C-alpha cells in the first residue's frame, strides 16, 4: 500500500481553491478548474489523524507528544475549515433550526466535505479522550459528543441524499455518530440534553424506516433493515437507562 506520508503531493495549479463555492454548490464547472470527488487536502488530514493518533505507533507515543499532535491537527483542520466560503462552512448547516432551503444548492460533494470535516474533528478529540488524564477523557468525549450531535442533525437534514446505492458513502459517518450519541445517553441519562439526544436518534432511525417503506414491495435492502434495527435497539437501551436512573 502507498503511505500518504511518503507522497510529496503538489496540487495542480488548476485545482479548485479552498475559498471556491465550486466545492460545495451545484453549478456548471469551468473546464480550466480541476475538481476531484473529495478534497485532497481533507483526505491528507484524515490520513495524518490515523497515522499520528490512532495507528499502533501513534498510540504508543508519550502523552505529551500525542497532545501536541492533537493540537496541531486541530489547528490544521480549523485553518482548512475557516478558508471555506463563509456561507459554506459546516457549522452554518449543522444546527436544529437551519432551514431546509439552505441545503437546496448543496452538491453531494459539498455534503460529504462537511461530514468528512466533522468526522475528522471527532476522531481528533477521541484521541484526546484516550489520553491518560481524567480531564483529557472528559474534554475529548465531550467534543466527540457535540460533533456527533452536529453530524446527525446534518444527516437528518440531507436524508434525501441517502439511497440504496449511496448508503455506504454515509454509513461510516452516521454509525460512528450514532454510537457516540448513544454512549453519551447511557453515561448521562439524567442530562438535560437526554430527551433531545434521544429524539435525534429516533429521527435517524426513522430515515431507514422511511427508506424501507418506500422500497419496492417485497424487496428488502439489507443495510436499511439492519441499520434501523440496530439504531432502534440502541434507543431501547437508552430508554431503559433513563428509567433506571430516574426510578424512585
Amino acid at each position: 500500500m502507498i503511505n500518504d506520508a511518503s507522497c510529496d503531493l503538489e496540487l495542480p495549479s488548476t485545482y479548485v481553491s479552498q475559498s471556491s463555492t465550486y466545492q460545495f454548490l451545484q453549478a456548471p464547472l469551468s473546464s480550466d478548474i480541476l475538481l476531484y470527488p473529495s478534497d485532497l487536502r481533507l483526505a491528507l488530514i484524515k490520513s495524518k489523524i490515523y497515522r499520528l493518533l490512532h495507528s499502533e505507533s501513534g498510540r504508543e507515543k508519550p502523552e505529551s507528544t500525542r497532545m501536541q499532535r492533537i493540537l496541531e491537527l486541530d489547528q490544521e483542520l480549523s485553518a482548512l475549515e475557516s478558508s471555506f466560503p463563509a456561507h459554506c462552512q459546516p457549522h452554518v448547516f449543522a444546527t436544529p433550526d437551519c432551514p431546509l432551503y439552505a441545503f437546496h444548492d448543496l452538491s453531494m460533494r459539498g455534503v460529504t466535505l462537511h461530514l468528512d470535516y466533522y468526522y475528522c474533528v471527532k476522531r481528533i478529540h477521541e484521541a484526546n479522550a484516550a489520553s491518560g488524564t481524567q480531564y483529557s477523557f472528559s474534554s475529548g468525549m465531550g467534543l466527540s459528543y457535540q460533533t456527533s450531535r452536529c453530524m446527525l442533525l446534518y444527516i437528518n437534514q440531507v436524508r434525501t441524499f441517502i439511497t440504496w446505492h449511496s448508503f455506504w458513502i454515509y454509513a461510516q459517518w452516521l454509525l460512528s455518530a450514532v454510537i457516540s450519541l448513544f454512549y453519551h445517553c447511557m453515561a448521562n441519562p439524567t442530562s438535560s440534553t437526554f430527551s433531545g439526544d434521544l429524539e435525534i436518534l429516533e429521527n435517524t432511525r426513522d430515515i431507514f424506516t422511511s427508506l424501507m417503506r418506500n422500497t419496492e414491495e417485497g424487496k428488502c435492502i439489507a443495510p436499511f433493515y439492519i441499520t434501523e434495527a440496530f439504531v432502534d435497539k440502541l434507543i431501547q437501551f437508552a430508554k431503559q437507562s433513563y428509567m433506571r436512573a430516574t426510578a424512585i
Side-chain angles (χ1 to χ4, degrees):
M1 294 180 63
I2 298 176
N3 190 327
D4 287 340
S6 303
C7 298
D8 184 14
L9 177 65
E10 291 187 10
L11 297 175
S13 59
T14 54
Y15 190 71
V16 65
S17 69
Q18 291 165 302
S19 60
S20 172
T21 58
Y22 280 123
Q23 292 202 85
F24 303 96
L25 305 182
Q26 301 182 58
L29 190 64
S30 168
S31 59
D32 59 356
I33 295 178
L34 180 62
L35 188 66
Y36 295 127
S38 184
D39 194 300
L40 293 182
R41 293 165 292 229
L42 192 54
L44 288 173
I45 292 175
K46 286 174 67 178
S47 176
K48 288 169 70 174
I49 291 170
Y50 171 75
R51 178 169 53 85
L52 298 178
L53 299 178
H54 293 284
S55 67
E56 184 176 354
S57 61
R59 292 195 303 269
E60 291 174 348
K61 295 296 182 184
E63 184 176 346
S64 58
T65 301
R66 285 174 54 79
M67 294 302 293
Q68 180 63 29
R69 288 177 171 181
I70 288 168
L71 178 62
E72 290 172 354
L73 285 167
D74 192 46
Q75 290 174 341
E76 184 176 353
L77 186 61
S78 294
L80 177 64
E81 190 260 353
S82 64
S83 70
F84 295 157
H87 62 290
C88 294
Q89 292 181 1
H91 66 268
V92 173
F93 300 89
T95 61
D97 54 353
C98 183
L100 277 175
Y101 66 76
F103 293 83
H104 286 175
D105 293 330
L106 275 180
S107 64
M108 181 175 283
R109 186 182 192 277
V111 169
T112 58
L113 282 180
H114 286 160
L115 291 172
D116 243 355
Y117 164 79
Y118 277 121
Y119 183 73
C120 286
V121 173
K122 182 176 183 294
R123 293 298 284 159
I124 287 172
H125 292 289
E126 283 174 346
N128 191 15
S131 298
T133 67
Q134 180 62 38
Y135 173 78
S136 294
F137 177 81
S138 299
S139 173
M141 291 307 294
L143 286 166
S144 175
Y145 155 69
Q146 292 292 347
T147 305
S148 297
R149 210 171 188 275
C150 288
M151 290 171 73
L152 291 178
L153 287 170
Y154 190 108
I155 287 170
N156 273 281
Q157 291 279 48
V158 296
R159 57 175 60 202
T160 55
F161 280 85
I162 302 177
T163 63
W164 68 268
H165 57 275
S166 69
F167 170 79
W168 294 111
I169 296 175
Y170 298 94
Q172 181 184 40
W173 303 314
L174 186 147
L175 293 174
S176 174
V178 161
I179 291 170
S180 292
L181 202 63
F182 165 70
Y183 172 86
H184 183 82
C185 287
M186 293 294 288
N188 304 277
T190 58
S191 168
S192 60
T193 63
F194 181 89
S195 59
D197 293 340
L198 193 67
E199 183 180 3
I200 292 172
L201 289 175
E202 290 172 338
N203 290 341
T204 304
R205 175 202 58 197
D206 292 346
I207 293 175
F208 298 95
T209 304
S210 176
L211 285 168
M212 289 194 300
R213 188 183 304 122
N214 295 332
T215 301
E216 296 177 21
E217 187 175 350
K219 184 178 180 182
C220 177
I221 307 296
F224 295 169
Y225 174 81
I226 293 169
T227 303
E228 188 218 25
F230 174 67
V231 179
D232 186 65
K233 181 59 70 174
L234 297 185
I235 290 168
Q236 300 312 313
F237 285 147
K239 287 180 176 178
Q240 290 170 16
S241 176
Y242 174 79
M243 294 296 290
R244 286 194 298 269
T246 57
I248 298 176

